Amino acid sequence: MPTSTLLIIDLEATCWENRQAPNGEAQSNDNMEIIEIGCALATRQGRLLDTRSFLVRPTRYPVLSEFCTGLTSITQEMVDEAPAFPGAIQAMNAWLGDLPDDFIWCSWGNYDRLHLEAQSQEHDARPAVLAFPHLNLKRIWRRTTGQKRKNGFAHALAFHDLDFEGHHHRGVDDARNMARVLLYMDWALESELLTSPEMMV
């Protein structure tokens, strides 16, 4: 793996149209389960090296809502055939292999980092990436462009005159599209924006 390689992760999770879980609780990270870990390996210059989608079978609420399937394009059959969270993490670790000492992983915002950390602790799973620093791409993009209010990823693509490719809210497609904006980042800002790893593997 080239030393300039970084990993972009975009998660998809169980969700419901009225933002209410089947047991009546409000939808939150505590009851939303990861159903896809979308991954894109790329260079800081935006060259896409590899992508992978790791689907996950939810266990708390194993039946996906119609809203969730419509939003993500992930079907019940797809998650039924997928491993539970620990098995998906094992597959992702095997795909990544040995990571270089200067490896970092990224996501657009902090939601993906926090949800991955929380679910990994809940299931006693050990994603290799959690031993490495995390970069919030939204923060470095905002600092690079000066855009403060409109900082959603759809706006970032539009800012650079890029159209979304694939299915929005499908993790692997979202991650692949995020790789396309790496070229526009001011990487001199990277070191001051990194979040230290929370979990040692």
Side-chain angles (χ1 to χ4, degrees):
M1 185 180 294
T3 56
S4 64
T5 301
L6 50 78
L7 173 69
I8 302 169
I9 286 182
D10 186 83
L11 304 177
E12 302 303 332
T14 53
C15 54
W16 302 274
E17 188 169 15
N18 57 3
R19 299 188 63 82
Q20 188 176 57
N23 67 352
E25 292 179 351
Q27 177 176 298
S28 71
N29 282 2
D30 293 332
N31 52 40
M32 297 169 69
E33 296 172 89
I34 295 168
I35 56 173
E36 183 190 13
I37 307 169
C39 298
L41 285 166
T43 67
R44 286 165 176 76
Q45 293 72 42
R47 184 165 66 91
L48 191 64
L49 303 174
D50 198 3
T51 62
R52 189 67 63 91
S53 169
F54 297 96
L55 294 172
V56 184
R57 174 169 46 83
T59 55
R60 183 181 294 119
Y61 299 115
V63 179
L64 300 183
S65 68
E66 290 185 12
F67 173 79
C68 185
T69 293
L71 183 70
T72 65
S73 78
I74 297 171
T75 66
Q76 188 65 48
E77 292 75 17
M78 291 165 68
V79 296
D80 284 346
E81 295 173 359
F85 185 77
I89 293 302
Q90 187 177 20
M92 183 175 72
N93 287 346
W95 173 65
L96 288 170
D98 293 329
L99 298 173
D101 292 341
D102 61 351
F103 181 80
I104 69 167
W105 66 289
C106 317
S107 60
W108 195 267
N110 281 320
Y111 157 79
D112 302 85
R113 175 178 64 83
L114 295 173
H115 201 167
L116 186 63
E117 287 174 357
Q119 196 155 330
S120 297
Q121 291 171 358
E122 178 184 349
H123 290 273
D124 195 26
R126 293 288 182 268
V129 298
L130 293 189
F132 294 86
H134 173 266
L135 178 65
N136 181 339
L137 292 176
K138 182 189 292 188
R139 286 187 69 198
I140 192 170
W141 185 81
R142 284 176 59 177
R143 289 278 299 274
T144 299
T145 63
Q147 296 290 302
K148 291 184 169 54
R149 293 185 178 177
K150 294 183 177 179
N151 52 43
F153 183 62
H155 177 74
L157 283 177
F159 184 84
H160 299 293
D161 294 321
L162 299 172
D163 294 323
F164 189 90
E165 297 175 353
H167 190 291
H168 192 40
H169 293 301
R170 181 67 196 269
V172 67
D173 288 345
D174 286 350
R176 184 185 297 116
N177 279 277
M178 288 173 200
R180 299 167 66 207
V181 301
L182 296 178
L183 176 65
Y184 304 103
M185 305 294 192
D186 180 358
W187 290 104
L189 300 169
E190 176 184 340
S191 59
E192 66 182 273
L193 297 178
L194 288 175
T195 299
S196 298
E198 294 292 323
M199 181 185 296
M200 297 307 295
V201 178

